[in-house]
Amino acid sequence: GEESTVRRLIPMIISPHFDIREFVTPEAWQSLGERSAWLIDRRIIEVAELLREMTDRPVTINNWHTGGHYKESGLRNMNTRTGAIWSQHKFGRAIDMKVQGMKPEDVRNLIRQNWEAFRFVGLTTIEKDTPTWVHCDCRYTGLRTLFEIHYK
C-alpha cells in the first residue's frame, strides 16, 4: 500500500549533490525512510549545496550509508550525548561538513567572502574554531551579519 511505498529504503536525492541520508541519522532513516527529509530544514540543504557548487569539491556530512563512520554530522537524535543539549543539530538546522582538500579555516573564509550568497540561502551561524570540520546552521539570530560562535 501507500505506507510501504513511502517507507521503502530508497535513497532520496534532495539536491543536485546530496542524498537525504547525508543529513540524517541511521535511526531516523530506518524509522522514516524518505520521510526523514521532513526533519531537515531546507535552508541547511541549500547551504551545503551552495558550498559544493562554489568549491567544486566533494563535501562530506554524514557518510554512514556508504560505510563511513559519520552519522551525527547533520540531524542528531534528541537523546544523543554528542554536542550541546539544545544543539541546532537536534532540530535539523545544522551540519558539520568537511570539504575535500580544503582546511576548515579556508572554508570559513570562503563563506565570509561570499556572505551575501550564503545569507540568501539561509545561513546565519558558523563555529569559528572547529579543528577538522565546518559547523554551519540556520538558527534565528535577528542579524544581517554572519554570527560566529566559539566551538566549546
Side-chain angles (χ1 to χ4, degrees):
E2 185 180 327
E3 178 71 9
S4 63
T5 302
V6 173
R7 288 180 66 93
R8 70 185 185 276
L9 299 181
I10 294 175
M12 184 171 125
I13 305 306
I14 47 169
S15 75
H17 296 99
F18 294 95
D19 172 317
I20 186 58
R21 294 174 298 178
E22 295 176 77
F23 292 86
V24 302
T25 59
E27 296 84 3
W29 177 255
Q30 283 302 131
S31 179
L32 297 168
E34 293 177 350
R35 293 179 300 171
S36 58
W38 298 348
L39 304 175
I40 305 300
D41 191 308
R42 181 79 205 167
R43 296 172 298 177
I44 207 65
I45 297 168
E46 297 297 335
V47 168
E49 186 60 41
L50 180 59
L51 188 63
R52 174 65 175 82
E53 288 170 6
M54 275 190 181
T55 61
D56 197 31
R57 294 166 183 253
V59 172
T60 301
I61 306 169
N62 286 332
N63 60 4
W64 59 266
H65 62 289
T66 57
H69 65 276
Y70 295 113
K71 61 183 182 184
E72 288 190 306
S73 295
L75 181 71
R76 291 183 185 152
N77 299 331
M78 285 293 178
N79 61 354
T80 185
R81 294 196 132 140
T82 304
I85 293 170
W86 294 106
S87 168
Q88 294 298 308
H89 287 275
K90 294 180 180 183
F91 300 96
R93 291 190 293 255
I95 50 176
D96 292 336
M97 302 179 285
K98 291 152 285 298
V99 179
Q100 189 176 80
M102 288 183 76
K103 294 185 177 93
E105 190 57 22
D106 295 335
V107 176
R108 286 188 284 270
N109 284 332
L110 180 76
I111 291 168
R112 291 173 185 123
Q113 290 157 11
N114 293 279
W115 168 237
E116 283 305 317
F118 281 97
R119 183 168 80 97
F120 181 77
V121 297
L123 181 66
T124 62
T125 307
I126 62 173
E127 286 178 347
K128 55 180 155 189
D129 40 16
T130 50
T132 59
W133 69 92
V134 177
H135 171 95
C136 292
D137 71 57
C138 54
R139 73 184 72 185
Y140 175 74
T141 64
L143 302 173
R144 295 182 71 78
T145 54
L146 181 62
F147 186 43
E148 298 195 38
I149 56 175
H150 283 287
Y151 163 66
K152 290 198 174 175

